Amino acid sequence: VALPLALLACWIEAGSFSQAVSNFNQIEDTQTAWLLLSVVCSYALGDVFFLLGARRIGVPAALVIASSYPIWSTLLGCLFQGDRLSFFQLAGVFAIFFGTAIVILSGQKKDQEISRSHIAIGVFLALGTSFFCCFFPSSVSKSIVGISAMLANAI
């Protein structure tokens, strides 16, 4: 459903069919590769890890843990892109970390006995989700330079 609508949007945005085709032809291979990486990491691997983790520790806990991807994004930005954090930005990252830890520690269902290994696997899978999802914003930001959002969605 989404692909035909995205292609139609590209056509409308370009003003003509030939211009829409020309816009697609101007996309560089590296842009396509970054978009592919974003889809594989966040939607394919991230979703699989999330669903498997949610089966073990529950959807709320898995969702909160998976939502901690800014920690990974910040770490990768500092290590590989030379990003520097202000005090308040660093405090925000720590707030995410400690908030996530609180949810992990308090997320056990009281009425259901779950083994420690089951919880550990679920937490690992949910952390994997957050790790894969951290690639989405950076890979999309690298891929969409010079192309429209509709064109990126169609790809």
Side-chain angles (χ1 to χ4, degrees):
V1 171
L3 179 60
L5 293 175
L7 292 173
L8 178 63
C10 288
W11 185 358
I12 292 169
E13 183 179 62
S16 70
F17 180 76
S18 61
Q19 183 59 46
V21 171
S22 175
N23 290 348
F24 273 101
N25 288 332
Q26 292 175 0
I27 297 170
E28 296 177 15
D29 291 341
T30 55
Q31 290 174 303
T32 304
W34 279 113
L35 285 168
L36 179 62
L37 177 69
S38 74
V39 170
V40 168
C41 285
S42 63
Y43 293 117
L45 295 172
D47 284 354
V48 168
F49 272 52
F50 175 77
L51 292 172
L52 292 173
R55 289 180 61 191
R56 287 169 175 79
I57 60 174
V59 172
L63 187 57
V64 170
I65 295 167
S67 297
S68 68
Y69 74 88
I71 295 169
W72 301 111
S73 294
T74 301
L75 183 61
L76 291 174
C78 289
L79 291 176
F80 297 111
Q81 296 179 331
D83 293 346
R84 301 284 181 247
L85 297 178
S86 71
F87 171 77
F88 291 110
Q89 291 170 322
L90 189 59
V93 171
F94 279 108
I96 291 169
F97 176 77
F98 287 116
T100 301
I102 290 168
V103 169
I104 292 170
L105 296 174
S106 65
Q108 276 184 283
K109 296 178 181 177
K110 304 296 184 215
D111 60 337
Q112 191 176 12
E113 193 66 32
I114 303 174
S115 70
R116 286 189 181 262
S117 65
H118 211 65
I119 292 171
I121 292 170
V123 169
F124 172 77
L125 290 166
L127 284 171
T129 302
S130 73
F131 181 73
F132 286 122
C133 287
C134 85
F135 288 105
F136 185 78
S138 60
S139 59
V140 167
S141 70
K142 291 179 187 302
S143 65
I144 61 170
V145 175
I147 65 173
S148 73
M150 286 300 117
L151 198 55
N153 280 323
I155 292 170

